[in-house]
Amino acid sequence: GQNIDQPTEMTATEGAIVQINCTYQTSGFNGLFWYQQHAGEAPTFLSYNVLDGLEEKGRFSSFLSRSKGYSYLLLKELQMKDSASYLCAVPQFSGGYNKLIFGAGTRLAVHP
Amino acid sequence: DVKVTQSSRYLVKRTGEKVFLECVQDMDHENMFWYRQDPGLGLRLIYFSYDVKMKEKGDIPEGYSVSREKKERFSLILESASTNQTSMYLCASSQFESNQPQHFGDGTRLSIL
């Protein structure tokens, strides 16, 4: 089966750096996704990691360690607009089909 | 850009009604999905479809059915709405491969009175 854990809530200050962790247990591994979801809006794709290491994309970076079943999303130079929920998700391939298993999400509040 | 369009942003229905939620995508994606999202529970998969006329149950299919008559359209049906189906419903689509992200519609906030 699949199990994904993320902290429920985090707070941070504008301009700071924040790291959002995600641990997962899967019966097979096909990569890991991060999504951002602002309140009342649809989730939007941020990153996909399938190999170990850090992938940087502007102010956002995502890290993966397959041996530890661990990923994190790093947000630098935080802005107020980064206040959102961040969802970690892993694909599950079962019966010939792909579907995503989502964590419950981490709600990030950025304060001035 | 991928566009996933859900027919309504807000919907209010009564207990026992049959409710239809429509979703259309414009990128010729093979896969389409219906989720519901509730506070503290995250996104839970109701049904998904990997091809026209094909459907698979997700994690919480009870009380729901789906229809995919055309590749671009995936409908969610609440056969007899109940108050515990009050939720945010999100539709998504993706290419078949597991390394391709899902693209979401804006969601339908459904209230069952």
Side-chain angles (χ1 to χ4, degrees), chain A residues 41-58:
Chain A
E41 297 182 12
T44 55
F45 168 70
L46 286 178
S47 66
Y48 173 74
N49 294 66
V50 67
L51 299 177
D52 289 350
L54 186 69
E55 294 213 3
E56 299 187 58
K57 200 184 285 187

Side-chain angles (χ1 to χ4, degrees), chain A residues 57-109:
Chain A
K57 200 184 285 187
R59 294 190 299 114
F60 291 12
S61 302
S62 54
F63 172 84
L64 177 68
S65 168
R66 288 173 295 173
S67 61
K68 295 181 179 176
Y70 168 68
S71 173
Y72 66 73
L73 185 67
L74 193 71
L75 289 72
K76 302 179 200 173
E77 301 168 21
L78 279 172
Q79 302 175 9
M80 299 297 290
K81 68 178 181 180
D82 298 330
S83 293
S85 287
Y86 292 86
L87 312 177
C88 171
V90 292
Q92 179 182 55
F93 189 77
S94 173
Y97 321 122
N98 287 310
K99 56 181 183 176
L100 274 183
I101 307 300
F102 284 86
T106 299
R107 191 162 56 248
L108 173 67

Side-chain angles (χ1 to χ4, degrees), chain A residues 35 37 40 42 45 48 97-98, chain B residues 9 37 50 56 96 102 105:
Chain A
Y35 285 81
Q37 186 178 23
F45 168 70
Y48 173 74
Y97 321 122
N98 287 310
Chain B
R9 288 299 306 271
Q37 188 173 32
Y50 55 95
E56 292 293 328
F96 181 77
Q102 293 186 12

Side-chain angles (χ1 to χ4, degrees), chain B residues 2 6 9 14 20 32 34 49 61 69 86 88 96 99:
Chain B
V2 176
Q6 294 185 228
R9 288 299 306 271
R14 296 207 172 274
F20 293 86
M32 295 190 76
W34 275 106
S49 169
E69 295 297 318
T86 291
M88 169 69 89
F96 181 77
N99 64 351

Side-chain angles (χ1 to χ4, degrees), chain B residues 12-85:
Chain B
V12 180
K13 295 290 181 181
R14 296 207 172 274
T15 303
E17 280 193 72
K18 191 168 186 176
V19 181
F20 293 86
L21 302 183
E22 306 287 345
C23 175
V24 177
Q25 52 96 1
D26 66 357
M27 283 303 292
D28 202 37
H29 284 167
E30 293 84 2
N31 296 341
M32 295 190 76
F33 308 83
W34 275 106
Y35 297 88
R36 63 178 283 176
Q37 188 173 32
D38 301 287
L41 297 178
L43 282 160
R44 294 182 291 167
L45 183 64
I46 305 170
Y47 266 96
F48 64 104
S49 169
Y50 55 95
D51 202 352
V52 177
K53 297 194 185 293
M54 306 304 285
K55 59 185 179 184
E56 292 293 328
K57 291 180 180 179
D59 300 315
I60 50 163
E62 296 78 19
Y64 303 94
S65 63
V66 289
S67 172
R68 194 165 181 202
E69 295 297 318
K70 294 184 178 181
K71 192 174 185 179
E72 67 270 20
R73 186 180 296 271
F74 193 35
S75 303
L76 179 70
I77 303 150
L78 285 67
E79 298 290 344
S80 177
S82 63
T83 55
N84 63 11
Q85 291 178 309

